[in-house]
Amino acid sequence: MDRYMRIGMVRICLLLFVFMGAKADSETRNSLSHLRKDLLAQQDNAVPPFKGNSKSVDVSLSFTPVTILDLNSVTQVLSVTGYLKLSWLDSRLTWNVHNHSDVRLMEVRSGDIWTPTISVGNSVSDMNPVETKIPIVVMHSGYVTWQAVDVFRTVCKIDVSRFPFDTQHCPLLFTPPYGYTLNITIDDDDIPGKNFLGESGEWKTLRVSALLSFIETFEIAEYMLTLERKYVYYLINFLFPMGLMSILNPFVFLIPARSGEKLGFLMAVFVSHTMFLSLIHGNMPPTSDSTSTLSLYLLMNEIQGFLTIFASIIVLVVHHQKEEAQTNTTSSDTKPFSGSCKSCNWERLLDCVFFAVFLTIAGGSILILFI
């Protein structure tokens, strides 16, 4: 009998707990619903929450880059996924938590209350304000938090002078348009370290910094992303093959002139240099503000190829003069004169001199990339 009584008491206690919990949940929902109606009924979303007699609103801004999607060197456009947060104090949105079932925060839509207007000043698409569908969080103290997660595409001027060993500085400018005055402050606590950013396959994030600047009466929050190019791809697919081809040019002077392959060998190398030059230019912006060291190196290779062709023609001219002299001597049925031997010596001497000179030029031009 006692056993059945104990089981019955346990069941009754469980039912009481479930009933009390459901009642508490119902009270919380009802309290939150009444709170929303009371607060939002008094709101005018076109009027800022001015404090006292001031005509400005203090707004805390923070931007957290999440992933570097791309930095296009040709179009000079940075694409980054980021988290933008705005915070401010609205004294009209305060309540006593003890009178509302200990409700300490609530979520509202953007159109229900006043929100500051912020635009991306260097956006490539438009200057429309940043919008979000994420609910706004309102604390019982009147502290309001607005959040947006989006892909920001901004202008980033590329300096190609050290391509592909270059470092780029890309700004993101957050500015309020003309209208109500916003006193913007930057929340440094939300600036991530470089190890917390998702990196692209081409760029490595060195650091993220923030500063507040002024243009006339406007305050601008500027976030600077410092990115370093990962050069291994260019080293393997561009620099290494081009370096080998530039060293191949002098070896044409080791080919005997009588083989008839000197100019054919040189033209093949010359055309390869031209192809690499067009590929490199396809990866750089069409700008005259700076000149890439790699472009200068390719230009030197083109000049070296032209001079090598010119020097090879001189060697071939000497070689054919020697052959003509030998032919004339043989046709006259006389003893060969010493001029043919001198021509032969001149031919080999020119090959040796040109080989040493152009090999030195090829090695020196490679050093330009690393100066």
Side-chain angles (χ1 to χ4, degrees):
M1 187 69 179
D2 294 339
R3 178 185 176 186
Y4 291 113
M5 289 182 63
R6 286 196 298 269
I7 294 175
M9 293 297 294
V10 170
R11 289 178 177 176
I12 293 174
C13 290
L14 289 176
L15 289 174
L16 287 175
F17 281 130
V18 172
F19 175 77
M20 294 300 294
K23 184 178 179 181
D25 292 340
S26 177
E27 289 180 357
T28 302
R29 287 194 298 268
N30 293 333
S31 180
L32 184 58
S33 178
H34 291 308
L35 178 63
R36 284 177 55 87
K37 292 179 181 179
D38 293 341
L39 290 179
L40 299 182
Q42 306 173 8
Q43 289 296 312
D44 186 349
N45 58 9
V47 178
F50 294 132
K51 187 177 180 179
N53 295 325
S54 66
K55 297 182 180 180
S56 61
V57 181
D58 297 331
V59 177
S60 174
L61 183 147
S62 68
F63 176 73
T64 305
V66 178
T67 304
I68 306 298
L69 298 179
D70 182 41
L71 174 55
N72 194 310
S73 300
V74 178
T75 59
Q76 304 190 66
V77 173
L78 170 69
S79 299
V80 55
T81 302
Y83 169 74
L84 179 63
K85 184 177 74 172
L86 303 176
S87 303
W88 66 95
L89 187 64
D90 192 338
S91 58
R92 300 170 297 182
L93 297 173
T94 59
W95 67 88
N96 191 330
V97 296
H98 301 293
N99 297 335
H100 296 86
S101 302
D102 202 34
V103 174
R104 297 182 177 273
L105 65 86
M106 68 175 180
E107 295 182 353
V108 298
R109 293 184 294 269
S110 296
D112 293 338
I113 63 174
W114 177 88
T115 56
T117 303
I118 295 293
S119 301
V120 181
N122 58 339
S123 174
V124 297
S125 54
D126 51 50
M127 291 289 291
N128 292 329
V130 180
E131 297 179 348
T132 181
K133 294 183 179 179
I134 300 176
I136 299 174
V137 178
V138 181
M139 303 299 295
H140 66 93
S141 59
Y143 189 77
V144 185
T145 302
W146 177 98
Q147 308 164 86
V149 179
D150 202 351
V151 176
F152 298 88
R153 301 179 70 248
T154 58
V155 177
C156 179
K157 188 175 182 180
I158 302 295
D159 180 11
V160 297
S161 59
R162 292 294 300 167
F163 177 87
F165 307 103
D166 52 331
T167 299
Q168 304 300 333
H169 304 277
C170 299
L172 284 91
L173 307 178
F174 297 99
T175 176
Y178 182 78
Y180 294 117
T181 303
L182 302 181
N183 298 325
I184 297 177
T185 57
I186 295 178
D187 188 356
D188 296 334
D189 295 336
D190 289 334
I191 299 178
K194 62 180 181 180
N195 296 327
F196 294 93
L197 288 177
E199 298 178 354
S200 67
E202 187 178 2
W203 296 96
K204 175 184 178 182
T205 306
L206 296 182
R207 60 183 174 273
V208 179
S209 58
L211 60 89
L212 199 63
S213 56
F214 296 87
I215 297 180
E216 296 181 353
T217 58
F218 294 95
E219 290 185 333
I220 297 178
E222 179 179 350
Y223 282 79
M224 185 68 69
L225 277 66
T226 304
L227 307 176
E228 182 182 54
R229 192 188 301 270
K230 298 177 181 179
Y231 56 82
V232 176
Y233 168 82
Y234 297 94
L235 188 65
I236 295 175
N237 294 282
F238 291 95
L239 301 184
F240 186 68
M242 287 188 300
L244 289 180
M245 285 192 298
S246 66
I247 295 176
L248 277 179
N249 270 333
F251 282 89
V252 71
F253 298 107
L254 300 182
I255 301 175
R258 62 179 178 273
S259 67
E261 298 295 333
K262 278 183 176 287
L263 290 181
F265 174 84
L266 283 175
M267 291 306 298
V269 176
F270 189 80
V271 171
S272 299
H273 278 303
T274 305
M275 180 192 69
F276 274 104
L277 185 61
S278 63
L279 289 176
I280 292 297
H281 286 172
N283 285 275
M284 291 189 296
T287 176
S288 299
D289 294 336
S290 59
T291 302
S292 171
T293 306
L294 184 57
S295 295
L296 295 177
Y297 169 68
L298 291 174
L299 179 62
M300 289 189 63
N301 282 345
E302 293 295 310
I303 296 174
Q304 177 194 354
F306 170 77
L307 294 177
T308 305
I309 294 173
F310 182 73
S312 297
I313 292 175
I314 295 176
V315 173
L316 290 175
V317 169
V318 173
H319 170 73
H320 287 296
Q321 286 179 350
K322 178 193 71 173
E323 286 187 341
E324 289 178 1
Q326 289 177 345
T327 302
N328 293 335
T329 302
T330 303
S331 62
S332 63
D333 293 330
T334 59
K335 185 178 179 180
F337 61 92
S338 59
S340 62
C341 295
K342 291 181 180 179
S343 297
C344 180
N345 293 335
W346 271 109
E347 177 188 339
R348 298 313 301 164
L349 179 61
L350 286 174
D351 274 335
C352 293
V353 171
F354 286 145
F355 174 76
V357 170
F358 285 103
L359 188 62
T360 304
I361 293 175
S365 62
I366 293 176
L367 295 177
I368 292 178
L369 294 173
F370 303 97
I371 295 177

